Amino acid sequence: MANDQNLVVSKRELTNKSGRKNLRKEGKIPGVYYSHDSKESIAFCIDENELAKAEKSNARIFNINVGDKKRNVLFKSVQYHPVTDKIMHVDLYGIKMDQKVTLKVPISLTGTAAGVTEGGILVQVLNELEVECLPGDIPEIIELDISDLNFGENKQVSDIDVDEKITIKSDDNDIIASVTQAAKEEEAV
């Protein structure tokens, strides 16, 4: 996986709520950079368009310049406005390409569950898995084939096969998907 995706960020002073609000009015999103090798954090802001470009790239690892150093980073968390869904704040985490990281990766169900063709309803309980791996081995998604999932059965984390470079940290017994009975409507008497 390539990590040559650049992200342009600008250092900012730590501000109060109104200061962050003014940044957003200017089309900039406030954020904080944390490093794997330091307890200190660095406040920054990023242009909304730059952030949109990063989201569209589907890259997981980005290059930023912090001071005079070029750093590899992952998005640690993104906070969205509860109503507008606009990005309100981002946390970037500085990584080393030769040190393992722990992060969440989306699960994609593939195939059509056998139990669904028999009238059951597919319920996906878990949408992402926590994994540990080197930054260069981070999968975009983890696929789980559910074609053999029958009525009343479920698929668990233990049913997922991943490359030996990746360690699944989620509990093996966590249910990812199941096929259940459709709820019947009560007839009016």
Side-chain angles (χ1 to χ4, degrees):
M1 177 170 285
N3 67 317
D4 53 4
Q5 184 74 30
N6 288 320
L7 205 55
V8 179
V9 299
S10 310
K11 198 169 176 179
R12 69 176 170 93
E13 294 304 312
L14 280 172
T15 52
N16 58 15
K17 197 172 184 175
S18 65
R20 291 189 299 270
K21 204 173 191 176
N22 288 338
L23 273 175
R24 289 186 201 100
K25 281 182 186 167
E26 296 168 14
K28 297 188 182 318
I29 307 295
V32 177
Y33 165 82
Y34 302 93
S35 172
H36 62 90
D37 58 3
S38 169
K39 298 277 180 259
E40 289 180 34
S41 59
I42 299 170
F44 70 88
C45 61
I46 182 170
D47 190 78
E48 277 181 342
N49 296 333
E50 182 76 8
L51 201 52
K53 211 168 58 177
E55 279 187 308
K56 283 187 186 129
S57 75
N58 286 332
R60 294 300 290 257
I61 302 167
F62 296 89
N63 295 321
I64 64 167
N65 287 317
V66 179
D68 57 354
K69 288 185 177 174
K70 199 171 198 172
R71 304 269 184 157
N72 292 317
V73 297
L74 293 170
F75 278 89
K76 187 80 170 160
S77 72
V78 180
Q79 295 169 12
Y80 294 90
H81 188 281
V83 177
T84 64
D85 251 4
K86 283 185 79 164
I87 295 176
M88 301 295 289
H89 189 273
V90 295
D91 286 344
L92 296 179
Y93 182 67
I95 56 169
K96 275 189 157 177
M97 296 306 286
D98 61 353
Q99 283 184 357
K100 289 185 175 189
V101 293
T102 302
L103 73 163
K104 294 186 186 233
V105 176
I107 299 170
S108 173
L109 303 180
T110 61
T112 302
V116 170
T117 57
E118 298 164 11
I121 295 198
L122 177 68
V123 179
Q124 184 169 357
V125 182
L126 208 56
N127 293 314
E128 52 188 19
L129 274 185
E130 190 169 37
V131 300
E132 182 184 69
C133 60
L134 289 173
D137 296 328
I138 298 170
E140 221 171 282
I141 58 169
I142 292 177
E143 291 187 343
L144 176 62
D145 183 9
I146 56 165
S147 322
D148 62 350
L149 189 58
N150 292 306
F151 190 79
E153 294 179 347
N154 60 48
K155 290 275 186 180
Q156 297 175 306
V157 170
S158 58
D159 295 319
I160 289 188
D161 287 325
V162 289
D163 190 297
E164 69 269 357
K165 296 176 188 170
I166 299 166
T167 305
I168 295 177
K169 299 302 244 177
S170 298
D171 188 320
D172 273 354
N173 298 319
D174 285 354
I175 293 173
I176 296 172
S178 62
V179 176
T180 61
Q181 187 172 341
K184 290 190 172 122
E185 288 186 29
E186 295 290 318
E187 283 186 36
V189 180

